[in-house]
Amino acid sequence: MKRLVLLFTFLIFGITSAQTAPKFENDTLTTSTGFKVYEGLDLKIGTGSMNDGDFKFIRTNASSMFNYYSTIGYQGLANQANSFKRSNSGLTFKVKKIMLRGNKRNGFVYYVKIGSGLINYEIDLENAIRSGELIIPDEFSPKEKSQNVTSETKYDKLKKIKELKDSGVLSEEEFQKEKDKIMIDK
């Protein structure tokens, strides 16, 4: 029975990840959605996905001397100590380096190194795109929604885009386009 469950799990997750795996060729990383990332590219930061507005998938680079290390966490919240702060929403950063981490057993993840001055940050690219922490062109936005996400009302969507406009992430023109799309749907 265990073998059957293990085989079934492998087939489901193995096939899914193989179909959408990012590819790195000729100094360019193509994400699972088709967005191309390379050194020198300007990436626009979206909004943080943690409850306090900080970023979950953009954090202090693991090799940085400013990275917080602890076995018990930062006030019980280890990820928040190294998270990219919400005040960076709407800013643009150049890609300094594309990095691959992981192993065959646990899988690999591509990270993009960005930064300014002494502090460098790393972006878990796939998760940052899915969560909206990175703003990418619409044609490369993930098409499928997670089953865990609750359905948003029209007013929830309007509130989100208003917040993005107020924080400077969206221009007035972009806000109006998004607002029109929301008002037409359903």
Side-chain angles (χ1 to χ4, degrees):
M1 184 66 177
K2 282 185 179 179
R3 286 184 186 174
L4 184 60
V5 170
L6 187 60
L7 179 62
F8 182 71
T9 304
F10 175 73
L11 286 174
I12 296 294
F13 291 107
I15 290 170
T16 303
S17 63
Q19 292 174 344
T20 61
K23 291 186 227 170
F24 188 72
E25 296 176 333
N26 301 326
D27 298 330
T28 300
L29 173 66
T30 304
T31 67
S32 62
T33 62
F35 183 62
K36 296 189 183 304
V37 180
Y38 49 88
E39 288 183 26
L41 175 71
D42 286 330
L43 291 177
K44 188 163 185 182
I45 305 300
T47 55
S49 61
M50 288 202 288
N51 290 340
D52 64 357
D54 284 348
F55 292 79
K56 181 174 185 176
F57 302 108
I58 306 175
R59 56 191 166 269
T60 307
N61 185 275
S63 62
S64 171
M65 67 182 198
F66 297 103
N67 193 28
Y68 179 81
Y69 294 95
S70 173
T71 56
I72 58 169
Y74 172 73
Q75 299 173 356
L77 306 166
N79 195 41
Q80 286 182 308
N82 293 316
S83 67
F84 200 56
K85 302 303 174 207
R86 61 187 160 274
S87 59
N88 291 309
S89 290
L91 298 180
T92 302
F93 289 86
K94 283 202 182 302
V95 173
K96 290 183 172 183
K97 186 177 182 181
I98 299 171
M99 306 170 291
L100 178 64
R101 291 209 195 112
N103 56 46
K104 283 184 181 180
R105 183 176 182 197
N106 296 322
F108 294 96
V109 175
Y110 281 98
Y111 288 88
V112 173
K113 182 178 179 182
I114 62 170
S116 59
L118 294 174
I119 301 177
N120 289 303
Y121 296 94
E122 60 189 21
I123 302 173
D124 175 347
L125 204 54
E126 294 289 325
N127 285 316
I129 289 171
R130 275 189 215 104
S131 67
E133 290 188 0
L134 277 181
I135 297 175
I136 61 172
D138 286 342
E139 70 247 34
F140 300 114
S141 294
K143 303 297 181 237
E144 55 186 296
K145 299 292 181 191
S146 170
Q147 293 177 352
N148 296 336
V149 176
T150 57
S151 59
E152 291 181 301
T153 67
K154 185 185 301 190
Y155 302 104
D156 292 333
K157 292 176 185 177
L158 288 170
K159 182 179 177 188
K160 275 188 179 178
I161 65 166
K162 175 77 166 92
E163 288 171 0
L164 289 172
K165 180 184 160 251
D166 292 344
S167 68
V169 173
L170 292 177
S171 68
E172 179 65 34
E173 182 181 53
E174 292 169 323
F175 170 75
Q176 288 300 328
K177 283 181 185 177
E178 291 299 318
K179 181 180 160 190
D180 292 342
K181 284 182 198 174
I182 292 169
M183 296 309 288
I184 291 172
D185 289 344
K186 298 180 183 179

